[in-house]
Amino acid sequence: MEHVGLHNLNKFYGQNHVVKNVSLEVQKGEFLTLLGPSGCGKSTTLRMIAGFEVIDSGQVLIHGRDVSNVPANRRGIGMVFQSYALFPNMTALDNVGFGLKMQKLDARTTRGKARKILAEVGLESVIDHLPHQLSGGQQQRVALARAIVREPEVLLLDEPLSALDAKIRIQLRELIKDLQIRRQITTIYVTHDQEEALSISDRIAVMNQGVIVQLGAPNEIYARPADPFVATFVGTLNKLPGQVVDTTTGMAEIAGHRMTVPALIGRAGRVTLGVRPEKIRLYAGDANLGTGEAIFSGVLKTIALFGSVVRITVLLGESEVKIDMLNKEGVLEARAGSEVRFGVPVENLLILN
Ligand code: ADP
Ligand code: MG
């Protein structure tokens, strides 16, 4: 069931057309992320949904009702910002209870509800602390509690984790997802961080220059990017220059190697192909080579340990090819400067242009 509907939303700042005909349907209980580079119009879109920004044309519907002219505080929406935006002179408990108090809820019920939700976000031990006595992560937990204490139908979050360091970011990301699932809150989340978007969303709308360029489940976006922008913005991508040699068979010369790429049938001239680092296989000395793969040889440049994953960079002529492998026995024994072979499965080549 459609819960939030955006219909041809447009926003201009002077001559600058920053949101262009954005249309989107968010289902009830869905977690949808607006993902795109800085300045592409994500926050402006979110603020129009929230009612903090005038809509130049188009509509925002909630449960099918046009709320475009309904004031922000009457749209049934909770919002979390990057800057926690807490009242500095109020305790965590009072920050969370403030909205309920404004709704004329009695003091006891207010405290009870605020206390309960603070426990749910893991802050029971610091409810009497002022914001300056809390860490960034704790302050954002308060902001999250404040946004959901009134049980909004829709939760909007604008880069809520961007000010936090890596470990805390992951903890909070998991908390947000847990709360969202437990409470089945329809959520629209804004981020420029593709990894965050891939890990947390039911669907992602990738935006570029005010336009939604692709809408889909995380792995649809990752595995079948709609255009070169999405392919390079989401995830890491190796680019290989190619030249089609035979249009009818898809035979091409790619980084100096001839191979048949069925997806190139009907194409001619120069092409750029892309391949994800984890699709490439590195071969040790006399290993059997796979079939359906194009085999390249290059010089191993660096080995970087990411923890569970190892990223190996290989020089292939002028270009660098990144290969991701699980950190299993032997992987870290490869030596910089040595000649290596690697296989690119032909079916995993993305055609970028
Ligand atoms: P994002 O959140 O994706 O980084 P924004 O929605 O904040 O992008 O901004 C989109 C574009 O609109 C940017 O070019 C930004 O400079 C411009 N912009 C945002 N807010 C205003 C404003 N209040 N006045 C003028 N231009 C603005
Ligand atoms: Mg923004």
Side-chain angles (χ1 to χ4, degrees):
M1 182 175 65
E2 174 185 314
H3 191 175
V4 180
L6 312 183
H7 294 272
N8 292 309
L9 281 189
N10 283 283
K11 182 71 192 176
F12 291 84
Y13 288 117
Q15 297 292 310
N16 196 5
H17 194 179
V18 302
V19 175
K20 300 172 187 160
N21 280 311
V22 164
S23 293
L24 190 61
E25 287 182 2
V26 187
Q27 304 301 307
K28 187 149 177 49
E30 186 177 27
F31 195 118
L32 184 128
T33 298
L34 300 177
L35 169 68
S38 173
C40 73
K42 306 179 297 293
S43 294
T44 305
T45 303
L46 203 70
R47 289 204 304 266
M48 289 194 281
I49 302 169
F52 298 146
E53 195 72 70
V54 174
I55 297 168
D56 288 339
S57 72
Q59 294 170 323
V60 174
L61 307 186
I62 296 181
H63 282 313
R65 184 171 76 107
D66 185 355
V67 298
S68 307
N69 297 311
V70 173
N73 61 357
R74 297 182 48 202
R75 291 191 187 185
I77 280 171
M79 184 136 179
V80 177
F81 304 91
Q82 178 179 336
S83 60
Y84 326 118
L86 301 176
F87 299 114
N89 55 344
M90 283 188 200
T91 64
L93 191 69
D94 290 341
N95 263 286
V96 175
F98 184 78
L100 298 172
K101 201 166 139 192
M102 290 293 102
Q103 286 182 320
K104 306 266 187 282
L105 202 66
D106 69 85
R108 218 177 127 197
T109 318
T110 295
R111 286 182 72 82
K113 282 196 175 206
R115 204 184 281 271
K116 184 162 171 282
I117 209 111
L118 280 164
E120 207 174 329
V121 299
L123 293 179
E124 53 274 82
S125 61
V126 293
I127 60 173
D128 292 323
H129 287 207
L130 293 167
H132 80 266
Q133 297 171 311
L134 299 170
S135 68
Q138 289 174 323
Q139 290 184 58
Q140 196 59 304
R141 284 171 193 254
V142 175
L144 190 59
R146 184 181 57 183
I148 58 178
V149 73
R150 286 198 281 172
E151 299 179 5
E153 288 201 50
V154 180
L155 182 61
L156 306 180
L157 305 107
D158 192 351
E159 310 255 10
L161 308 180
S162 298
L164 304 169
D165 51 324
K167 266 241 154 70
I168 306 291
R169 210 152 57 213
I170 291 170
Q171 283 171 7
L172 240 78
R173 174 168 104 190
E174 288 171 356
L175 174 71
I176 290 170
K177 187 69 188 174
D178 280 354
L179 282 172
Q180 188 267 337
I181 290 174
R182 196 168 338 125
R183 294 168 168 261
Q184 283 292 298
I185 311 177
T186 304
T187 300
I188 305 177
Y189 189 97
V190 160
T191 184
H192 67 276
D193 181 333
Q194 48 90 22
E195 192 181 297
E196 201 169 290
L198 289 173
S199 66
I200 205 172
S201 317
D202 294 320
R203 282 190 305 159
I204 299 172
V206 184
M207 287 185 75
N208 189 24
Q209 300 185 343
V211 175
I212 294 181
V213 288
Q214 190 172 5
L215 174 66
N219 201 43
E220 265 173 69
I221 305 266
Y222 183 74
R224 291 186 294 283
D227 65 18
F229 168 78
V230 178
T232 48
F233 189 73
V234 179
T236 301
L237 192 74
N238 292 301
K239 288 187 189 168
L240 302 170
Q243 172 83 40
V244 178
V245 177
D246 183 354
T247 303
T248 49
T249 59
M251 167 76 76
E253 190 160 303
I254 295 163
H257 292 59
R258 286 217 165 180
M259 64 186 79
T260 302
V261 183
L264 285 175
I265 291 172
R267 300 279 305 240
R270 291 188 163 284
V271 287
T272 303
L273 297 154
V275 63
R276 300 290 188 195
E278 75 281 8
K279 299 294 188 197
I280 304 178
R281 251 192 302 178
L282 194 68
Y283 287 107
D286 53 359
N288 288 326
L289 303 180
T291 55
E293 289 184 326
I295 305 294
F296 296 87
S297 55
V299 176
L300 197 151
K301 187 184 173 206
T302 54
I303 303 179
L305 177 60
F306 286 7
S308 55
V309 172
V310 179
R311 172 160 294 174
I312 294 168
T313 304
V314 175
L315 287 172
L316 179 69
E318 307 273 272
S319 46
E320 288 188 358
V321 175
K322 296 185 169 70
I323 304 170
D324 285 351
M325 301 176 72
L326 286 177
N327 180 11
K328 291 198 172 150
E329 233 153 298
V331 172
L332 290 168
E333 284 162 22
R335 286 283 155 258
S338 61
E339 183 103 349
V340 290
R341 284 182 299 169
F342 58 93
V344 176
V346 166
E347 79 271 19
N348 290 125
L349 285 168
L350 301 170
I351 293 159
L352 299 181
N353 63 22

